[in-house]
Amino acid sequence: MWTAFVGRAVRLPVGEGVGVGGVRVREVVFRRSLAVADVGAAALALVVCVDVLGDDGLRPLAVLALPLVVVAGKAHGLYDRDELVLNKTTIDQAPAVFQCATLYALLVVVLQDPFIDGSLGAAQAVGLWGSLFVTALLARRIARRVAALSTPLERCLFVGSDESYARLHSKLPDDGDRRARLVGRMALDQIAGEQRVALASAALQRLIEQLGVHRVIIEPGDASPQITLDFVREATSIGVRVSLLPRILEVVGSTIEVDDLNGLTLLGVRRFGLTRTSTRIKRAFDAAGATIGLLALAPLLALAAVLIKLDSHGPVIFRQTRIGRDGHAFEIWKLRSMRHDTEHLTGQLRAHSDPTIGLFKLHDDPRITRVGHCLRRSCLDELPQLINVLRGEMSRVGPRPLIADEDQQITGHDRSRLNLTPGMTGHWQIQDARAPLAEMIKLDYLYVATWSLWLDIKILLRTIAYVFARRGM
């Protein structure tokens, strides 16, 4: 327990602290790993476009073309983001990688004489661009994973409230792209006056040194903004990384525009919901995807239907009333994964559902059939919802469609989640399908507040990864 002027400070097990020096080591490892990944992707892309797609050859000086991809990557900030964020995901940088691949392909085409024995055609140039984009994404994903596993967990000190500490702790598993650990907390609710702020800043420095902190996460409080400013300056002067946890973003999301008004910074907040044009684009995207999906997956759906009939009695399709856009009810379609005669057990089983979730969820539901387990595990039971998408009742990505009883628990401004058509997948699916109802509502609200076509594409890609990881249920 540290001194009372910081309100309260909690110390957790220290483990293998590496201090401020470890910050630089982590950054060097990640930067070099990404640079090596980009160079390797560029080398493979050059071989594909020159030797595979054409009859040309690579000259010895072609090795000098490889560093150009690092230059292009640096120009697009591809080596600077990882040190600023905890969630070091590759998919979020796909637009920047796309631009980098475009710039690199252009540079190679313009400067090709010293590197290539021959002349690149249009198909080869496109092949260079496309293969670099794909291979760079894959190589960067592998490089980040290797770098994360070869460096210690990122040690974080949280400065803020108990509630925010608990939420942050639940979102920082020690695996995947967020290999970080909270090692301590400071509370600032009792700080006031210049002397107390100075003492708290000194305490922060001691904590950083004693706990071997890599990153300080600060939640701006209700006290003077000067306190937050002093803490940010103190942490950055020491050399650790700083992240802010502004509560306002829980309402407006991340889609904001920074407006510099002669040194005074303003944040422009976009309107809530979709414009008419965005709604049409989203609908066209959904209709095209659902049509292609149904045609491509028809044999798989037929096989699943046969297995369901052979495994248990009852219909192949399970239909249930859900609440859709603007509160209108519709029938959702799924492949039946439960025995058809177990509705009478639902009331008894509700007593075994986790009351903290707010949704009826069971870890080992006795109503699920043998085939149903496989369907749920692979999320194949959701595929008939593509028909709901074609009918305009659902979207491929959107807020989670709830049954009437669950929907009645949502009141006030939270009901604005129904401004969009419910989706087959969404943030709630790829982050934590068993998230409490209150957390799911926040995710849905932010999805509506920050929608973009690229966001839908990212969620669909992450859903595919989720399915292949067999983390359904």
Side-chain angles (χ1 to χ4, degrees):
M1 187 76 68
W2 277 284
T3 48
F5 61 76
V6 296
R8 182 172 56 164
V10 181
R11 185 174 185 176
L12 301 179
V14 175
E16 66 287 355
V18 290
V20 176
V23 177
R24 301 186 183 92
V25 171
R26 289 178 58 83
E27 292 175 0
V28 169
V29 171
F30 273 91
R31 284 175 180 268
R32 291 181 178 176
S33 298
L34 292 175
V36 170
D38 288 343
V39 169
L44 181 59
L46 282 173
V47 170
V48 169
C49 84
V50 175
D51 293 336
V52 177
L53 299 179
D55 298 326
D56 308 304
L58 291 172
R59 292 176 175 171
L61 287 179
V63 295
L64 299 180
L66 299 181
L68 292 177
V69 74
V70 178
V71 174
K74 183 65 177 177
H76 289 90
L78 290 176
Y79 308 111
D80 302 324
R81 181 177 182 271
D82 283 27
E83 68 186 53
L84 302 177
V85 298
L86 281 166
N87 196 23
K88 300 172 174 57
T89 57
T90 300
I91 190 64
D92 288 331
Q93 284 193 305
V97 174
F98 180 89
Q99 295 172 7
C100 176
T102 303
L103 177 59
Y104 180 74
L106 179 62
L107 289 174
V108 170
V109 170
V110 172
L111 305 174
Q112 63 178 290
D113 290 343
F115 310 138
I116 299 171
D117 184 11
S119 180
L120 294 180
Q124 290 174 289
V126 173
L128 173 62
W129 166 79
S131 58
L132 177 58
F133 175 60
V134 173
T135 55
L137 287 177
L138 295 176
R140 283 178 152 261
R141 179 69 184 90
I142 296 172
R144 281 193 170 96
R145 187 60 176 163
V146 171
L149 294 176
S150 61
T151 54
L153 291 175
E154 189 167 4
R155 303 173 61 80
C156 303
L157 173 67
F158 181 69
V159 181
S161 65
D162 269 329
E163 177 189 359
S164 296
Y165 175 87
R167 289 187 62 199
L168 185 61
H169 186 271
S170 67
K171 295 179 181 295
L172 285 179
D174 295 345
D175 57 3
D177 298 304
R178 292 172 288 184
R179 298 191 72 249
R181 175 187 302 162
L182 287 170
V183 296
R185 185 184 77 84
M186 289 182 64
L188 303 180
D189 51 344
Q190 297 181 15
I191 295 178
E194 293 184 4
Q195 185 177 9
R196 286 178 176 264
V197 172
L199 290 173
S201 296
L204 175 66
Q205 181 174 353
R206 290 199 304 272
L207 284 179
I208 290 174
E209 294 173 353
Q210 293 173 13
L211 297 178
V213 172
H214 299 132
R215 182 182 300 271
V216 176
I217 304 174
I218 302 174
E219 178 186 32
D222 297 329
S224 171
Q226 186 64 38
I227 297 176
T228 300
L229 180 61
D230 288 342
F231 269 60
V232 171
R233 287 174 173 172
E234 185 68 34
T236 53
S237 66
I238 295 172
V240 298
R241 293 303 166 199
V242 176
S243 295
L244 297 177
L245 183 64
R247 300 298 296 270
I248 186 64
L249 295 186
E250 294 183 7
V251 178
V252 302
S254 58
T255 307
I256 56 178
E257 292 293 335
V258 178
D259 187 8
D260 186 1
L261 196 63
N262 295 326
L264 181 64
T265 301
L266 301 178
L267 299 180
V269 180
R270 60 175 284 181
R271 59 171 287 183
F272 186 83
L274 274 62
T275 64
R276 189 173 300 177
T277 301
S278 296
T279 301
R280 291 172 178 171
I281 292 174
K282 182 174 174 63
R283 176 58 188 154
F285 180 69
D286 286 337
T291 301
I292 295 173
L294 284 173
L295 292 175
L297 298 172
L300 185 60
L301 287 169
L303 175 61
V306 172
L307 293 176
I308 291 171
K309 295 298 289 185
L310 292 176
D311 183 55
S312 62
H313 295 288
V316 171
I317 298 296
F318 169 75
R319 303 181 184 185
Q320 187 180 49
T321 300
R322 299 290 180 98
I323 305 302
R325 183 173 181 177
D326 299 327
H328 298 302
F330 72 98
E331 273 196 341
I332 194 173
W333 287 28
K334 291 187 177 184
L335 290 175
R336 182 174 59 82
S337 58
M338 294 183 179
R339 288 178 293 172
H340 75 288
D341 57 349
T342 54
E343 284 296 322
H344 63 283
L345 295 176
T346 301
Q348 304 173 24
L349 294 174
R350 282 188 181 275
H352 301 283
S353 180
D354 187 350
T356 62
I357 295 179
L359 301 171
F360 180 37
K361 287 285 185 180
L362 295 175
H363 289 284
D364 295 307
D365 197 325
R367 300 171 298 171
I368 300 177
T369 65
R370 291 173 298 176
V371 172
H373 275 290
C374 297
L375 293 175
R376 289 195 171 198
R377 186 75 174 166
S378 59
C379 298
L380 292 177
D381 62 316
E382 310 283 349
L383 291 182
Q385 292 171 32
L386 290 171
I387 297 176
N388 292 116
V389 174
L390 278 181
R391 294 165 60 174
E393 299 165 334
M394 293 184 67
S395 172
R396 285 197 293 167
V397 181
R400 183 172 184 168
L402 300 177
I403 61 175
D405 290 346
E406 296 167 346
D407 179 72
Q408 290 174 1
Q409 301 178 45
I410 304 174
T411 59
H413 289 293
D414 291 336
R415 294 199 64 78
S416 58
R417 66 187 292 275
L418 297 177
N419 282 18
L420 283 189
T421 306
M424 294 178 61
T425 186
H427 284 301
W428 48 271
Q429 173 74 15
I430 59 178
Q431 293 192 16
D432 187 357
R434 298 185 184 276
L437 180 62
E439 184 73 15
M440 187 199 70
I441 291 172
K442 291 180 180 179
L443 293 173
D444 287 343
Y445 181 93
L446 289 178
Y447 172 78
V448 179
T450 60
W451 181 86
S452 69
L453 186 59
W454 169 238
L455 176 61
D456 274 10
I457 294 173
K458 282 199 300 183
I459 292 176
L460 287 171
L461 291 175
R462 285 173 173 163
T463 301
I464 294 172
Y466 177 93
V467 171
F468 276 104
R470 296 181 65 82
R471 292 180 295 179
M473 296 288 289

